[in-house]
Amino acid sequence: MQRSSVPVGLMLVLAALACGDASSNASTKTSPVADSSAGSLAAAGKDDTTSAKSAKSAKSATAATAATAPVPRIVDTDARMGTKLEGPDSAVRIQIATQPKSRTKADSISLVASIRKGLKNSGWPVAGSTPLPGSLLPAKRIVAFYGNPLSKKMGILGEIPYDQMLAKLDTVVGWWREADPSTPVMPALHLIVSVAQGDPGKDSMYRQRSDPDLMEKIYGPAKQKGAITILDIQAGKSTLKEELPVLLPFLQRPDVHLGLDPEFYMHYNREGRKPGAKIGAMDASDVNYAIDQLAELVTKYHLPPKVLIVHRFTLNMLQHADKIKLDPRVQVVINMDGWGQPWLKFDTYATCEASEPVQFTGFKLFFHNDTKKGDKLLLPIEVLALRPRPLYIQYQ
């Protein structure tokens, strides 16, 4: 689609005003749902249904565009910038400066609505104490590759040979450094260690725990690269109080952090359903339990603050989010975990991130699922248009 900046800008102002600054069409569009097959090691060894040729083409196009995309010089509400862009059409100006003309009108309208949602929410940036020494956020942006090496279906971490994966991570980290030179990038490997299953298993918990050797296989190269490791829990019918203690020996290390996936947490009226059959949920009390455990480790072992990633793509996945407590020893990231076309991802970010400030935000990109309908993978420059700007970026 070809368009000139002025007509689309005017159209977007009118559209955004007509929406009352709400998340564009969010009430009438289906929220993105994560691929349920990604939660099972039973799929290991099967070929990805996405065409390899299409994936290669999308990757090449994305890399080429990223290499030539200009870094936007936008005055915004970032605390780091210290100033605010005034005026009712500031969201439109940001959209025009950052979004490729190849995006659809729906993509543009939704991006403007999402930016507006973040700019108008007085809860951003979230008030809190000064970050402790060694804190990763907000001084750095984390860019992570996600998955499990035992499955090609669960993400880039296991989809391609290990050396190729690490080389690709270097390339993607380079995209983000170019797009936002003012924010150093911390690479990360995000490993699913408790993997939700469609079958009950020996203990009827519908999850499979990874062996310590597998964790070491990921942790070793990550440490050599100067990257952090994030251990992710898909608890199934188990609980955090059962799964988290198993990981404490690894979490005692200063460069190992934690992720929680409510999608596969089958509690809160979901006890009778298998993981993947219904979207799971966590309560703030679950997140607060994890925060307490991490905070104790930081104090006991004199560690730098831990990062806690909590995935979310529906409001109900994370209940009572306003009750999540903040502790300077733990930095909480709510990660927009949905896949789909750009407009749908922007809508979800507005609903699940910009509208409910917790502490920091994240944004997930799917190499395959986001491009299923012919859309190009979102570029860093487009994701950076969102308000607040995500400080955790995850690729699956």
Side-chain angles (χ1 to χ4, degrees):
M1 177 183 71
Q2 299 294 325
R3 57 172 170 80
S4 64
S5 298
V6 175
V8 172
L10 292 174
M11 180 273 291
L12 290 170
V13 171
L14 295 174
L17 291 174
C19 291
D21 293 327
S23 179
S24 174
N25 297 330
S27 63
T28 59
K29 295 173 182 175
T30 304
S31 295
V33 178
D35 187 351
S36 61
S37 66
S40 175
L41 283 178
K46 294 184 179 179
D47 291 334
D48 195 313
T49 54
T50 304
S51 164
K53 181 178 180 181
S54 298
K56 182 177 180 181
S57 176
K59 173 188 172 185
S60 299
T62 301
T65 310
T68 58
V71 177
R73 302 300 180 188
I74 302 296
V75 183
D76 55 33
T77 56
D78 253 346
R80 187 174 66 250
M81 301 295 288
T83 52
K84 181 176 181 179
L85 178 62
E86 302 291 346
D89 60 348
S90 58
V92 175
R93 295 175 189 170
I94 295 171
Q95 176 272 327
I96 290 172
T98 59
Q99 193 171 51
K101 294 182 179 181
S102 58
R103 297 300 180 196
T104 67
K105 289 183 179 180
D107 296 336
S108 299
I109 292 172
S110 293
L111 178 56
V112 167
S114 185
I115 296 170
R116 283 179 176 269
K117 184 74 72 172
L119 288 173
K120 294 185 68 174
N121 193 321
S122 60
W124 297 110
V126 174
S129 58
T130 302
L132 295 176
S135 297
L136 291 176
L137 307 174
K140 296 182 179 181
R141 175 171 287 109
I142 301 170
V143 175
F145 271 16
Y146 169 93
N148 186 296
L150 300 183
S151 173
K152 294 183 178 181
K153 298 281 289 183
M154 293 175 63
I156 188 64
L157 209 59
E159 180 184 342
I160 59 179
Y162 205 67
D163 290 345
Q164 293 181 28
M165 181 273 294
L166 293 174
K168 187 169 184 176
L169 176 60
D170 289 339
T171 298
V172 173
V173 164
W175 298 349
W176 286 91
R177 285 175 175 154
E178 181 176 358
D180 183 11
S182 65
T183 306
V185 177
M186 170 60 72
L189 297 181
H190 193 133
L191 170 67
I192 312 168
V193 291
S194 291
V195 185
Q197 302 289 297
D199 298 319
K202 294 181 179 179
D203 57 4
S204 300
M205 289 294 103
Y206 287 83
R207 60 90 182 88
Q208 179 177 328
R209 291 174 179 168
S210 297
D211 293 331
D213 288 346
L214 182 65
M215 299 184 215
E216 294 287 6
K217 179 181 178 181
I218 294 298
Y219 174 76
K223 185 176 180 63
Q224 290 178 0
K225 288 180 66 67
I228 61 173
T229 300
I230 302 169
L231 304 180
D232 201 274
I233 298 176
Q234 297 178 353
K237 295 191 177 183
S238 184
T239 66
L240 292 184
K241 292 184 178 180
E242 293 293 329
E243 300 303 307
L244 188 50
V246 179
L247 303 179
L248 292 181
F250 285 91
L251 290 167
Q252 292 172 16
R253 302 174 184 181
D255 48 0
V256 178
H257 303 268
L258 182 65
L260 304 178
D261 198 341
E263 181 183 0
F264 302 104
Y265 202 67
M266 309 313 293
H267 302 283
Y268 306 105
N269 297 321
R270 293 158 175 81
E271 287 82 358
R273 308 295 290 271
K274 297 189 295 185
K278 183 178 179 64
I279 298 173
M282 283 184 181
D283 186 80
S285 60
D286 299 304
V287 178
N288 288 339
Y289 168 76
I291 290 172
D292 287 341
Q293 296 301 303
L294 293 174
E296 285 184 18
L297 287 178
V298 170
T299 298
K300 183 176 181 179
Y301 295 101
H302 307 287
L303 303 173
K306 293 293 184 182
V307 176
L308 175 62
I309 311 295
V310 183
H311 304 294
R312 190 185 200 188
F313 57 82
T314 72
L315 288 175
N316 195 46
M317 281 176 67
L318 183 57
Q319 301 173 8
H320 307 110
D322 60 325
K323 304 297 183 184
I324 295 174
K325 62 183 180 182
L326 298 185
D327 186 308
R329 295 168 292 179
V330 182
Q331 301 193 293
V332 181
V333 176
I334 308 301
N335 180 43
M336 198 295 290
D337 191 29
W339 60 265
Q341 294 178 275
W343 63 262
L344 188 50
K345 296 176 76 75
F346 297 147
D347 280 0
T348 306
Y349 188 85
T351 301
C352 296
E353 306 277 329
S355 297
E356 289 198 359
V358 174
Q359 189 174 20
F360 302 106
T361 66
F363 198 91
K364 190 168 186 175
L365 295 158
F366 293 76
F367 285 115
H368 302 307
N369 286 347
D370 285 351
T371 60
K372 279 184 174 180
K373 295 189 176 181
D375 302 277
K376 292 181 179 179
L377 192 69
L378 286 172
L379 300 171
I381 197 173
E382 297 178 84
V383 179
L384 289 171
L386 294 166
R387 297 299 186 269
R389 281 182 174 145
L391 287 173
Y392 173 75
I393 306 297
Q394 184 182 88
Y395 287 84
Q396 179 168 336

